[in-house]
Every structure is written in structure tokens, then in C-alpha cells.
């Protein structure tokens, strides 16, 4: 059991200074375009102190809190994949030579300290690790260099369902992070109950001046704060047998219903912290001497995604929605042994028409073909 | 199913390796074969595997190896021009350099076929990915029972590798049956889809391994015909085609249900795919 320390605000700030001294680029939550996003930070003053985000399907807005919490909000449209798996990254350059061409690796990636990573996001990073770490040197370089400071949630948003997915509101036993903390109200002042999750994290905590060990009363309070946080999660998704539910219903006419509402705008996949699909673009300078391959995020909702000579294989929005949901909740298990959804709720909040996957799963259960209930629209090819 | 982590525990190649073009030969009005020199003199591959072929600054596409695995000193690939990258590949000249990553993917089940009859079913350009397997089988002809090649082309002038088809057809130990969708006046052979040939091909369905490559509809109907004659599903193998951007399990484009065609395929046994092949737009 790692030791829990109590820090005040200046103690928390000194974690940031230490990380900067260790040459990390600090990134964390800030207010951007009337939402909470992730961006460069210099100090705790850059955080959305005293703000919260109120969410519902298809909507989110900022509101003032009646306290000065630094972490009194839930996830916004950004996720940390913007640093670990950036939307546009050059994966190699090629120079023409007398005998053909030669590839050179791009500049080394920066080492980021991710400050304020929510438990569902810690879980999402582990999900992307399973996808990329074994084989992808571009991701691996960034991931190995990164320092993760996680923050437990003390209050859920209306679209959060981490408790259904086993990813929050506190970091789990086997979660991978360097430091994790919880913001608590301790006798009228905000305090931070902190623990290390790695040797690096412990070394950083060693440098904090004024840290005191948590008392039994502090630990009891932490326990009850996290229990209240779990109780504040109102959205649920029934994951019982979800893998088989999805795969047994590929031909269910239900998909036409959701396909009729889905705009195939790709928002859900862009905001999703686990969606990993990407495409590459090959370009060349005008004089033809230097070429580059750039990797960009892609989405199974885009029509070109499945293009082969003759046309896209997934023409209809229902086919694309089905690919998305069945990948998240079923085939991800076959591929990586975990769920592709961590319950962060982003796809619900940022869907322009408010499609809520938890409601879609419930709707599909009501017409489960295995109960003889499927909507009668056979999709069998002739 | 094994996970990617277990199967590829090492960093996958992301940079194309330069190969010098030795020759380019037209096969059909829109199809040509490239012979490439591997930089270190050999390019080992298994029949059925593909490479990601790159034209400097233009783009990269998956192309099956069509050469003889017993001649690894040359990488041979047969390509139909259909779009930006394949047109650019048509423009290369001997001495030019193209980029190669790979070989990637699964192989045709030649070991499994040992001691059994073999039926190759090819449609159009689908003959190219099967050719390395045909070379291997003919080089070790005594290992197998009957060997049958069923080939369907759009028209007589769309027939690929005609020289070799003649040669193989002339052998007493191989049966080559060819059909075209649209005959011309000189055509003396069968007319109709290749799936029809399955019905009259001389092989023992209960002791046969089938390898099928062509457009997806053609493969689906061929597999159904083969099954109809009594070939068990797990003895039928298909080579799937999906959009591919990476070839190494990282881009997500090639997913077919839960399978990544780039590394768990492209060659799959039909029993793995049959249920999904019946669902539209997977
Ligand atoms: C495993 C595998 C083996 C293949 N083997 C051969 C072969 O031996 N000979 C051959 O001529 N063709 C083969 N193909 C098809 C070939 O890859 C496409 O014709 C080619 O990608 C078209 O690219 P383009 O830029 O010329 O066409 P465009 O239409 O301009 O393509 C645009 C993009 O769409 C994608 N795309 C388009 N068509 C296909 C397709 N059919 N399959 C996958 N992605 C596609 C590519 O990413 C391409 O960059 C194979 C495909 C796969 C998946
Ligand atoms: S599918 Fe939706 S709720 Fe699940 S992880 Fe992705 S964005 Fe979050
Ligand atoms: S849901 Fe779609 S975009 Fe996301 S990882 Fe799966 S296939 Fe890719
Ligand atoms: S081609 Fe990229 S994952 Fe298969």
C-alpha cells in the first residue's frame, strides 16, 4: 500500500515546478473556447479554478462553482491522445539520393507531463497502450517519455458511466500512472491527498516541501469522498454479456433506426480517448527531393475509411454506427482482451444529435434477436 | 484468438526500404508486372503474403507477391492500375526505385494441403496472389493428389499469365479449366462465371484443400459451391481485400468484424469468415 501524503496548494504547485525542472512539457486542463480542454500550463493558476462543466446528451456548458476547486469538473472534448497519439505527426521523412531515396526518422518527440488525468483517462491510455505499445515506435517513444499525474474525481458528470465500466471515479489497483491525487475539503481549506504510482512518481514526491503523511482521519475522509463520487454517477450501461449481444445482432434491423439519426460526423471517434484509427498522407516538396509521411486521426464514420476500388464497403450510416459500437463493446475484447469503451461519456456530450450509446445498448437489448425480437429487416445478401 | 501483443512483440517496420526496378512488363491493357531487386539480394516470403508498395511522395498500397518463392532474389508483383498509386507504379522505369515494406500477412495453407487434392479458384487479378502457391505446388507436385486450377476472366483478352496457363494446362498432372464472362468469336472455351466450373471440376471434395482469390462476391459464391460439393468449410481458404493504410495492425482500416485482415489475414479459412460474409457492409 503506497503511502498517502497530504499537500496544500503550494505543495501541489511544487510538483509542477519539479516536473518542469525535469524538462517535461507541462500540459493540463484549461478553459478553451468555452469548454475545458487540455493545453500547455505554467502553473496552477492556468487551471479552471472555480469552474465546472455541466453536461447532457449533445450539450455542455461551463458554470461557476460556489467554491475555488481546481478540479471541480469532468472531461471535456479533448483527451490525452492529442499528446500521445497526435492528430498530425510526421512518422518519417525521405530524401532523394543518387541511388534512390533514404528515410530518416523525424525529430524526437517531446516528453510531456500530463497533469490532471482522470481515472477513466488513465484506463483509456492503458487501452491505447495495448494497441500501440507492442509495435508502434512513434507512440511508444511518446508514451515511454510521458509522466502521468492522475486526479481522482469527486463528482461525476451527467454523461459519466465509469462505474459501469470499472474505470473510475478513482484510479484502480492496477492502473498505470506516476502520481495520483484527490482534491478534498479539509477543515475548510482545499488539500490534496497524494500517492505515487511509480518510482519516478515517488522521486518527484520526495522533493515536495511541507508534505505530511495522511492521518487515519484523512484516509477515512478520502474513502468517503470517493464513495460519494461513485454514488454521484447516475448513468449506467448494462455490460452483462455485451460482447455476444452485439455480435448476435449484426443483422438486426435496429441499426437502421440509429443509422437514421446518426449524422456520421465523426465527432464521437475524434473525442473518444480510445479510438485509435488513423490514416497516412504521403507528400513531397515541389522540387521532388523530400517526401514525408504524416499520420492523422481517421474515423470509421468517414465514407473513405472503407474505400476499396469499386466503392466504400460501409456506405450507409447504420453500417458505420454498427462498426463503431460493435468495435467498442465487442470485437475490442477479441482483439485486445478489454473493452474499447471506458465510460467517459464524451461521445454522448459531443454528439450533435445527442445519441447516447448507453441508451442504444439498452434499445438493442429490447430487440435482441436471440429472444426472437429483432426488428424484421433482414440484411442478408442475395 | 491470439492478441496482437502475443503475435507481434516487436516494433513493426514503418519505413519503406528502397528496391530498384529491374523490369516492368505489361500483362493486360491495365495490368503489369514489376520485377524488383531487393537491396540485400533476397526477399523471402510465403505464398499469399503481400507488401506495402510505395511510390516516392505519392502513396503506398497493399500488393500481393506474384513471384516464385523458390526465386527470392527477385520480388515480383502484378498490379492493376485503378487509381493514384497504381497509375504512378505504372510510370516507373527500370533503374527507378520504389519503396517496399513487408512481406506481411498469412500464407496459403500449402502444408495443410500436403497429401490432398488441391483446387485453386481464381477470378481476374486474383490469379496473381495465387501464382506463388501454384509455383510451389507444381515444384513439389508429388506431394499432392489432384491439382485443379479454375480461372475466370472477364473476356479472353483479360486473361492474365496466358503463357503459363497454357503451359500448366498442357501438363498431364494438372487440370486447368478456364471460363470467360464475355466470349469473342475466337473463344472456344467455357462462358460464364467461374463458380460454375466448381461443379464439374475433377477433385475429391472430401479430400481437398481449396484456395480462392478474386472479388469478394466471387469468393463467397465459390465457397458456397465448394461447400455444396462437400468440401468442409475449414478446408476452403479465401484471401480478403480491405482498405489498408499500415499493413501492421495499427491503422484500423482493414478490420473485418474483429479481425485485422493485414496480419490475421489476408488468407483466412472460410469457417472463420462464413457468418460475417453473409452480413452486408461489415
Ligand atoms: C492484401 C491485398 C492484396 C492486394 N494485392 C493486389 C495485387 O496483387 N494486385 C493489385 O493490382 N491490387 C492488389 N490489391 C488492391 C490494391 O491495393 C488497390 O488496387 C490499391 O490500393 C488501389 O490504390 P490506388 O491509389 O491506385 O487507387 P485509389 O482508388 O486512388 O485508392 C485510394 C486509396 O484507397 C485505398 N484502396 C483503394 N482500393 C483499394 C483496394 N482494392 N484494396 C485496399 N485498399 C484500397 C488505398 O489506401 C488507396 O491509397 C490488394 C489489396 C489488398 C488489401
Ligand atoms: S465510446 Fe464514448 S464513453 Fe466510451 S470511451 Fe469512447 S467517448 Fe468515452
Ligand atoms: S470505433 Fe471506429 S474509429 Fe474507433 S477504433 Fe474502432 S474502428 Fe477505429
Ligand atoms: S492495414 Fe492498418 S490495421 Fe490492418
Amino acid at each position: 500500500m503506497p503511502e498517502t501524503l497530504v499537500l496544500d496548494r503550494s505543495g501541489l504547485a511544487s510538483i509542477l515546478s519539479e516536473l518542469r525542472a525535469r524538462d517535461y512539457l507541462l500540459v493540463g486542463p484549461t478553459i478553451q473556447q468555452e469548454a475545458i480542454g487540455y493545453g500547455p500550463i505554467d502553473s496552477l493558476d492556468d487551471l479552471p479554478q472555480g469552474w465546472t462543466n455541466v453536461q447532457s446528451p449533445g450539450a455542455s456548458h461551463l458554470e461557476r462553482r460556489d467554491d475555488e476547486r481546481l478540479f471541480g469538473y469532468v472531461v471535456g472534448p479533448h483527451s490525452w491522445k492529442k499528446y500521445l497519439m497526435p492528430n498530425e505527426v510526421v512518422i518519417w521523412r525521405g530524401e532523394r539520393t543518387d541511388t534512390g531515396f533514404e528515410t530518416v526518422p523525424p525529430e524526437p518527440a517531446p516528453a510531456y507531463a500530463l497533469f490532471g488525468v482522470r481515472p477513466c483517462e488513465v484506463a483509456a491510455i492503458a487501452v491505447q497502450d495495448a494497441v500501440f505499445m507492442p509495435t508502434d515506435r512513434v507512440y511508444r517513444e511518446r508514451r515511454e517519455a510521458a509522466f502521468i499525474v492522475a486526479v481522482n474525481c469527486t463528482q461525476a458528470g451527467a454523461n459519466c458511466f465509469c462505474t459501469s465500466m470499472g474505470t473510475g471515479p478513482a484510479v484502480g489497483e492496477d492502473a498505470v500512472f506516476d502520481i495520483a491525487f484527490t482534491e478534498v475539503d479539509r477543515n475548510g481549506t482545499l488539500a490534496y491527498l497524494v500517492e505515487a504510482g511509480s518510482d519516478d512518481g515517488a522521486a518527484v514526491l520526495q522533493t515536495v516541501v511541507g508534505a505530511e503523511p495522511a492521518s487515519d482521519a484523512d484516509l477515512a475522509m478520502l474513502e468517503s469522498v470517493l464513495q460519494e463520487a461513485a454514488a454521484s454517477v447516475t448513468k449506467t450501461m448494462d455490460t452483462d454479456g455485451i460482447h455476444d449481444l452485439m455480435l448476435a445482432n449484426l443483422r438486426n434491423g435496429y441499426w437502421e433506426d440509429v443509422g437514421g439519426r446518426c449524422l456520421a460526423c465523426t465527432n464521437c471517434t475524434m473525442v473518444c480517448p480510445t479510438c485509435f484509427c488513423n490514416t497516412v498522407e504521403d507528400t513531397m516538396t515541389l522540387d521532388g527531393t523530400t517526401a514525408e509521411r504524416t499520420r492523422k486521426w481517421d474515423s470509421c464514420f468517414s465514407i473513405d475509411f472503407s474505400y476499396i476500388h469499386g466503392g466504400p464497403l460501409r456506405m450507409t450510416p447504420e453500417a458505420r454506427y454498427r462498426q463503431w459500437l460493435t468495435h467498442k463493446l465487442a470485437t475490442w475484447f477479441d482483439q485486445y482482451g478489454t473493452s474499447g469503451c471506458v465510460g467517459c461519456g464524451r461521445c454522448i456530450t459531443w454528439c450533435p444529435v445527442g445519441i447516447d450509446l448507453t441508451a442504444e445498448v439498452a434499445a438493442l437489448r429490447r430487440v435482441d434477436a436471440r429472444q426472437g425480437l429483432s426488428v424484421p429487416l433482414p440484411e442478408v445478401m442475395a | 484468438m491470439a492478441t496482437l501483443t502475443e503475435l507481434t512483440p516487436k516494433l513493426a517496420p514503418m519505413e519503406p526500404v528502397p528496391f530498384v526496378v529491374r523490369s516492368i512488363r505489361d500483362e493486360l491493357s491495365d495490368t503489369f508486372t514489376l520485377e524488383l531487386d531487393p537491396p540485400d539480394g533476397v526477399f523471402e516470403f510465403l505464398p499469399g503474403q503481400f507488401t506495402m508498395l510505395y511510390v516516392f511522395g505519392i502513396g503506398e498500397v497493399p500488393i500481393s507477391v506474384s513471384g516464385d518463392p523458390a526465386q527470392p532474389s527477385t520480388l515480383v508483383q502484378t498490379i492493376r492500375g485503378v487509381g493514384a498509386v497504381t497509375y504512378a507504379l505504372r510510370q516507373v522505369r527500370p533503374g527507378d526505385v520504389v519503396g517496399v515494406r513487408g512481406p506481411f500477412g498469412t500464407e496459403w495453407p500449402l502444408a495443410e494441403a500436403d497429401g490432398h487434392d488441391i483446387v485453386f479458384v481464381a477470378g481476374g487479378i486474383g490469379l496473381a496472389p495465387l501464382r506463388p502457391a501454384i509455383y510451389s505446388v507444381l515444384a513439389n507436385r508429388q506431394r499432392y493428389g489432384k491439382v485443379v486450377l479454375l480461372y475466370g476472366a472477364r473476356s479472353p483478352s483479360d486473361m492474365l499469365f496466358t503463357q503459363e496457363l497454357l503451359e500448366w494446362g498442357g501438363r498431364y498432372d494438372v487440370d486447368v479449366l478456364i471460363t470467360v464472362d464475355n466470349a469473342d468469336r475466337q473463344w472456344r472455351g467455357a462462358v460464364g462465371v467461374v463458380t460454375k466450373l466448381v461443379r464439374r471440376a475433377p477433385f475429391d471434395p472430401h479430400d481437398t484443400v481449396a484456395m480462392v482469390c478474386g472479388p469478394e462476391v466471387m469468393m463467397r459464391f465459390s465457397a458456397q459451391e465448394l461447400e455444396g460439393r462437400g468440401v468442409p468449410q475449414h478446408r476452403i481458404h479465401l484471401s480478403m481485400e480491405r482498405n489498408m493504410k499500415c499493413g501492421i495492425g495499427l491503422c484500423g482500416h482493414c478490420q473485418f468484424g474483429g479481425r485485422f485482415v493485414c496480419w490475421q489475414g489476408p488468407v483466412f479459412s472460410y469457417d472463420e469468415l462464413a457468418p460475417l460474409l453473409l452480413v452486408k457492409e461489415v
Side-chain angles (χ1 to χ4, degrees):
Chain A
M1 192 67 192
E3 192 194 11
T4 303
L5 301 173
V6 186
L7 311 186
D8 61 8
R9 182 178 168 129
S10 67
L12 190 67
S14 70
I15 293 180
L16 281 183
S17 331
E18 176 64 19
L19 290 171
R20 197 190 349 266
R22 291 175 178 231
D23 284 335
Y24 287 104
L25 282 179
L26 305 182
V27 288
T30 59
I31 292 182
Q32 302 171 20
Q33 296 175 329
E34 293 171 47
I36 308 246
Y38 298 141
I41 54 169
D42 283 329
S43 72
L44 295 180
D45 298 337
D46 295 328
L47 267 43
Q49 178 173 344
W51 287 95
T52 194
N53 44 6
V54 179
Q55 304 185 330
S56 60
S60 171
H61 68 271
L62 293 181
E63 265 176 26
R64 266 323 291 187
R65 297 178 60 88
D66 54 12
D67 59 28
E68 292 302 317
R69 280 177 184 264
L70 292 171
F71 297 96
Y73 42 83
V74 295
V75 295
H78 293 175
S79 77
W80 305 100
K81 78 179 179 186
K82 76 185 252 198
Y83 299 110
L84 299 177
M85 169 63 194
N87 184 12
E88 256 194 66
V89 67
V90 174
I91 59 179
W92 50 260
R93 291 205 165 80
E95 309 280 351
R96 274 217 195 271
T97 62
D98 296 344
T99 53
F101 67 87
E102 213 172 70
T103 54
V104 286
E107 307 75 49
Y112 288 107
L114 314 180
F115 189 78
V117 182
R118 299 292 178 173
C120 62
E121 303 184 294
V122 171
I125 291 171
V127 169
Q128 286 215 329
D129 283 352
V131 176
F132 292 121
M133 281 302 269
T135 45
D136 185 325
R137 72 161 164 71
V138 180
Y139 179 88
R140 196 191 187 104
E141 192 191 355
R142 288 170 180 262
R143 180 66 181 88
E144 280 175 345
F147 190 98
I148 296 179
V149 183
V151 56
N152 291 324
C153 291
T154 52
Q155 185 187 329
N159 290 334
C160 298
F161 57 105
C162 56
T163 43
S164 296
M165 308 312 288
T167 60
V171 289
E173 289 283 308
D174 44 11
V176 179
F177 56 84
D178 294 294
I179 291 176
F181 66 87
T182 312
E183 181 174 52
V184 295
D185 184 334
R186 193 172 180 246
N187 315 318
T189 31
L190 291 172
Y192 301 88
L193 298 177
V194 184
E195 62 172 278
S198 71
D199 293 346
D200 277 352
V204 168
L205 287 185
Q206 288 263 307
T207 68
V208 175
V209 191
E212 46 177 284
S215 67
D216 286 348
D218 288 325
L219 293 177
M221 174 178 62
L222 177 60
E223 177 93 28
S224 80
V225 162
L226 295 177
Q227 264 168 20
E228 276 170 42
S232 74
V233 180
T234 51
K235 194 178 280 297
T236 57
M237 185 160 76
D238 178 3
T239 58
D240 189 35
I242 201 155
H243 173 274
D244 294 357
L245 170 75
M246 290 291 139
L247 298 185
N249 283 288
L250 293 178
R251 280 154 61 175
N252 201 311
Y254 153 79
W255 300 108
E256 292 213 346
D257 175 74
V258 65
R261 287 175 279 135
C262 174
L263 308 178
C265 69
T266 79
N267 268 16
C268 51
T269 51
M270 298 292 114
V271 296
C272 179
T274 65
C275 270
F276 61 82
C277 284
N278 57 83
T279 187
V280 290
E281 212 172 81
D282 286 300
T283 51
M284 183 166 50
T285 49
L286 277 180
D287 64 2
T289 56
T290 309
E292 241 171 39
R293 178 164 299 165
T294 309
R295 179 154 84 179
K296 298 180 169 177
W297 292 350
D298 203 351
S299 168
C300 59
F301 280 97
S302 87
I303 187 98
D304 289 341
F305 186 83
S306 62
Y307 180 85
I308 65 172
H309 180 61
L313 293 169
R314 294 185 204 107
M315 279 295 275
T316 60
E318 55 261 35
R320 286 178 261 157
Y321 191 89
R322 181 181 62 191
Q323 165 61 24
W324 178 72
L325 200 67
T326 55
H327 189 210
K328 289 280 151 200
L329 301 178
T331 52
W332 212 294
F333 284 99
D334 302 328
Q335 294 168 348
Y336 304 106
T338 71
S339 169
C341 172
V342 297
C344 74
R346 283 182 179 85
C347 55
I348 308 172
T349 310
W350 305 99
C351 173
V353 293
I355 295 175
D356 173 343
L357 80 167
T358 66
E360 297 309 323
V361 168
L364 183 58
R365 280 189 194 280
R366 288 195 291 275
V367 294
D368 186 349
R370 293 168 300 175
Q371 322 288 328
L373 294 169
S374 81
V375 181
L377 283 168
E379 280 198 48
V380 199
M381 293 175 101
Chain B
M1 189 200 303
T3 63
L4 183 63
T5 324
E6 287 157 11
L7 284 187
T8 43
K10 57 178 197 295
L11 294 181
M14 287 184 162
E15 295 84 3
V17 174
F19 280 47
V20 178
V21 177
R22 186 191 305 162
S23 74
I24 177 163
R25 186 179 61 247
D26 280 331
E27 304 280 1
L28 308 172
S29 60
D30 60 355
T31 306
F32 54 97
T33 295
L34 292 181
E35 287 191 332
L36 308 172
D37 286 327
D40 38 12
V42 277
F43 183 89
E44 303 273 2
F45 71 98
L46 299 165
Q49 288 190 305
F50 66 96
T51 71
M52 295 297 286
L53 207 49
Y54 169 68
V55 184
F56 193 78
I58 305 289
E60 189 183 58
V61 290
I63 300 290
S64 302
V65 183
S66 67
D68 185 347
Q71 317 262 332
S73 59
T74 314
L75 168 58
V76 182
Q77 309 211 260
T78 302
I79 304 158
R80 188 152 73 101
V82 295
V85 180
T86 47
Y87 290 153
L89 282 164
R90 179 63 192 83
Q91 302 306 317
V92 303
R93 291 287 156 260
D96 285 355
V97 166
V98 295
V100 176
R101 291 191 299 129
F104 298 127
T106 52
E107 63 195 290
W108 293 112
L110 295 181
E112 180 196 326
D114 208 322
H116 306 287
D117 290 359
I118 296 185
V119 184
F120 295 106
V121 188
I125 183 111
L127 186 56
L130 278 171
R131 192 169 69 166
I134 299 172
Y135 285 140
S136 275
V137 165
L138 296 185
N140 299 286
R141 181 65 191 86
Q142 73 291 350
R143 286 202 198 148
Y144 307 96
K146 296 200 181 75
V147 173
V148 180
L149 168 61
L150 311 179
Y151 181 46
R154 269 174 299 176
S155 71
S157 60
D158 289 312
M159 270 167 47
L160 206 53
F161 308 143
T162 36
Q163 206 52 48
E164 280 169 310
L165 285 172
L166 272 175
E167 198 181 300
W168 299 332
R171 288 173 67 136
Y172 67 92
D173 58 356
V174 181
D175 285 291
V176 178
L177 304 182
I178 300 176
T179 182
V180 295
D181 297 341
N182 307 301
D184 59 16
R185 258 190 243 143
Q186 280 86 48
W187 182 247
R188 302 263 171 276
V191 178
V193 291
V194 68
T195 47
K196 290 213 183 115
L197 297 179
V198 173
R199 273 174 237 165
R200 54 185 179 90
F203 60 89
D204 173 2
H206 305 290
D207 189 30
T208 288
V209 171
M211 305 179 208
V212 186
C213 190
E216 196 164 312
V217 257
M218 167 266 172
M219 292 198 290
R220 188 153 37 86
F221 284 120
S222 301
Q224 283 166 358
E225 288 286 345
L226 287 160
E227 207 186 345
R229 274 200 60 180
V231 184
Q233 285 196 345
H234 69 272
R235 286 281 176 83
I236 304 170
H237 300 264
L238 318 177
S239 182
M240 293 297 291
E241 184 174 330
R242 281 294 178 269
N243 187 304
M244 291 187 181
K245 289 296 176 191
C246 75
I248 51 180
L250 299 175
C251 76
H253 278 258
C254 68
Q255 289 176 84
F256 180 54
R259 292 180 172 77
F260 289 95
V261 174
C262 65
W263 69 275
Q264 294 173 308
V267 178
F268 291 97
S269 71
Y270 181 53
D271 59 338
E272 276 190 76
L273 303 185
L276 278 184
L277 283 172
L278 290 177
V279 184
K280 248 182 172 170
E281 297 192 274
V282 170

